Amino acid sequence: AMLEDWARIFGVVRGYEAWRADGAWVLGHGDSLAPDILARFRVDARITREEYDRGLRDLADARAAIRGMLGNRMLLMPAASGVAPRVAPVAEEASALADARRATILLTSLAGVGGLPAVAMPGSLDSGLPFGLCLVGPAGSDRSLVAAAAQVWRLCGMDRKGSAG
């Protein structure tokens, strides 16, 4: 439930700010966006200033909680919730694609809500199946995070043409 709450908070703050930054463009060019992106902007357009202000307060609380749990450690986690979807999914896969996107946002919003640096490292297995790792570090650890990511990259064998086996 904690990840869902953080993703919801992230969605409110991100959505309000995205609409304020890009809403005018979307209104004039919505037909050039993918239907799911346009639908997200339509939801973003309805976020009120009061919801946003509450989201900012909730974000501050969530950020403190995440930073408190992480402390001075780094977190290594999957960069996505599952295998990559097809480039051109068939209509029957639209729901599964939306579910995968929601599950991935649960993971990826952790660094965003925490205001923490993160490094995503793409790779592929010897079989060719793609995967990704994400390393999240404490606030202000950008340089040491990149150095640690390089170590993980080498230790996992991802430096051998992006594959690990």
Side-chain angles (χ1 to χ4, degrees), residues 74-77 119-121 131-136 144-160 163-164:
M74 292 185 182
L75 173 65
L76 181 63
M77 62 184 195
V119 176
M121 299 168 280
F131 74 95
L133 297 174
C134 181
L135 190 61
V136 179
S144 59
L145 182 70
V146 170
Q151 258 188 316
V152 169
W153 184 267
R154 284 189 301 278
L155 288 171
C156 291
M158 297 167 76
D159 58 339
R160 293 187 304 271
S163 68

Side-chain angles (χ1 to χ4, degrees), residues 19-30:
W19 182 256
R20 295 307 163 279
D22 300 319
W25 184 89
V26 170
L27 288 173
H29 301 88

Side-chain angles (χ1 to χ4, degrees), residues 21 27 40-41 52 55 66 70 73 94 104 108 111 123 128 131 136 146 148 150 164:
L27 288 173
R40 193 174 330 144
F41 269 111
Y52 175 66
I66 292 168
L70 187 62
R73 296 178 300 269
T104 296
T108 59
F131 74 95
V136 179
V146 170

